[in-house]
Amino acid sequence: MIKENVKRILEELPKGVILVAAAKTRTVEEILEAINAGVKVIGENYIQEAMRMFEVIGNKAQWHFIGKLQKNKVKKAVKIFDMIETVDSVELAREIDKRCCEINKIMPVLIEINSGREPQKSGVLPEDALEFVKEISSLPNIRIVGLMTMGPFAGDPEDARPYFVETKKIFDKIKKLNLPDVEMRYLSMGMTNSYQVAVEEGANLVRIGTKIFGMRNYK
Ligand SMILES: *Cc1c(COP(=O)(O)O)cnc(C)c1O
């Protein structure tokens, strides 16, 4: 099942769009099946779970952190992740920078945009994104490589489109400025129900869980 699902999605995605398999709550076996079918990037929300997986899977895939990162977990996170997609505060950026400095690593990061302007959601507000990028871009051990957004959870994928459009606008605006130490290369938008719309609006990283692995029971 997983194998067929991955193959179908990979065939469908336009060239240059990277599939991130959102792996929360899945087993090592399920993830390995996805990797064997062609998944190159695993997305993880939880550090403990990711560390367990990483012990077995290691560098058979790249690891992107896509959850809410607690400051006290950063030290562990920087050891295994190849990218952190959810940077949304100066404090978090500084902690990543500090912990990466200790292990002599430069961490590619995406800035998470709260495109729905939802008070309970993480992410930088669209109007604050540029200032935020400028503020953290000089940290030597992180490298800003793009933006990520969730958008409000919606049943109809069309409802997500305006939020993807807005995030792409911010992406283009920042890209045009050619800021030092800022590379607008990756735009991470879209999940199982919305990735087609996200790709139409310029996403080149899509984070897909359910459509690869089936329904989740919890979380
Ligand atoms: C779980 C998750 C996804 C994937 O969600 P599906 O609807 O299962 O595809 C994508 N992005 C993030 C940040 C997630 O936590």
Side-chain angles (χ1 to χ4, degrees):
M1 252 301 253
I2 291 173
K3 189 174 165 190
E4 287 73 36
N5 294 344
V6 168
K7 296 229 144 114
R8 208 166 337 111
I9 296 166
L10 286 175
E11 272 168 24
E12 177 197 346
L13 290 176
K15 220 170 148 242
V17 177
I18 298 166
L19 172 61
V20 178
K24 58 179 175 271
T25 80
R26 311 302 178 176
T27 65
V28 169
E29 290 72 28
E30 289 173 302
I31 296 168
L32 281 172
E33 192 177 341
I35 291 169
N36 288 334
V39 163
K40 301 266 191 286
V41 186
I42 304 297
E44 261 292 350
N45 297 61
Y46 306 107
I47 301 297
Q48 291 310 119
E49 189 176 274
M51 288 182 26
R52 249 189 355 257
M53 302 287 177
F54 187 80
E55 257 177 48
V56 185
I57 298 168
N59 294 315
K60 284 195 179 80
Q62 289 209 36
W63 295 82
H64 283 199
F65 188 78
I66 62 173
K68 179 142 190 64
L69 187 51
Q70 309 293 337
K71 213 180 140 191
N72 62 354
K73 302 277 173 64
V74 170
K75 187 174 176 175
K76 285 177 176 155
V78 298
K79 287 189 188 139
I80 56 178
F81 285 97
D82 301 293
M83 187 187 288
I84 295 174
E85 294 201 14
T86 48
V87 173
D88 67 350
S89 78
V90 174
E91 213 190 3
L92 176 60
R94 289 217 178 102
E95 183 68 13
I96 296 169
D97 180 64
K98 176 178 148 193
R99 296 304 182 181
C100 282
C101 182
E102 289 170 359
I103 59 167
N104 210 5
K105 180 169 179 173
I106 293 177
M107 180 65 74
V109 302
L110 305 184
I111 308 308
E112 181 174 358
I113 306 294
N114 183 355
S115 56
R117 295 185 172 79
E118 298 166 281
Q120 78 282 14
K121 280 257 180 88
S122 0
V124 179
L125 290 174
E127 55 272 28
D128 299 336
L130 176 57
E131 269 317 301
F132 181 68
V133 164
K134 284 181 178 165
E135 196 170 349
I136 68 164
S137 62
S138 59
L139 293 170
N141 288 75
I142 65 168
R143 176 130 181 108
I144 300 172
V145 293
L147 305 181
M148 177 273 206
T149 198
M150 297 275 287
F153 193 79
D156 182 352
E158 276 306 321
D159 294 344
R161 192 184 295 274
Y163 304 101
F164 296 152
V165 169
E166 175 154 20
T167 307
K168 175 66 156 64
K169 272 193 193 143
I170 302 166
F171 181 88
D172 288 339
K173 185 174 99 180
I174 296 174
K175 187 176 184 149
K176 245 183 157 168
L177 293 173
N178 271 320
L179 300 170
D181 302 312
V182 176
E183 200 180 342
M184 281 293 121
R185 187 185 328 176
Y186 298 108
L187 183 54
S188 175
M189 313 193 289
M191 323 195 336
T192 289
N193 79 331
S194 59
Y195 74 93
Q196 280 119 338
V197 171
V199 167
E200 283 169 18
E201 299 304 339
N204 57 13
L205 281 174
V206 291
R207 310 176 309 268
I208 300 180
T210 309
K211 195 165 176 172
I212 295 176
F213 300 109
M215 293 296 280
R216 274 185 300 276
N217 294 320
Y218 61 102
K219 282 177 179 171

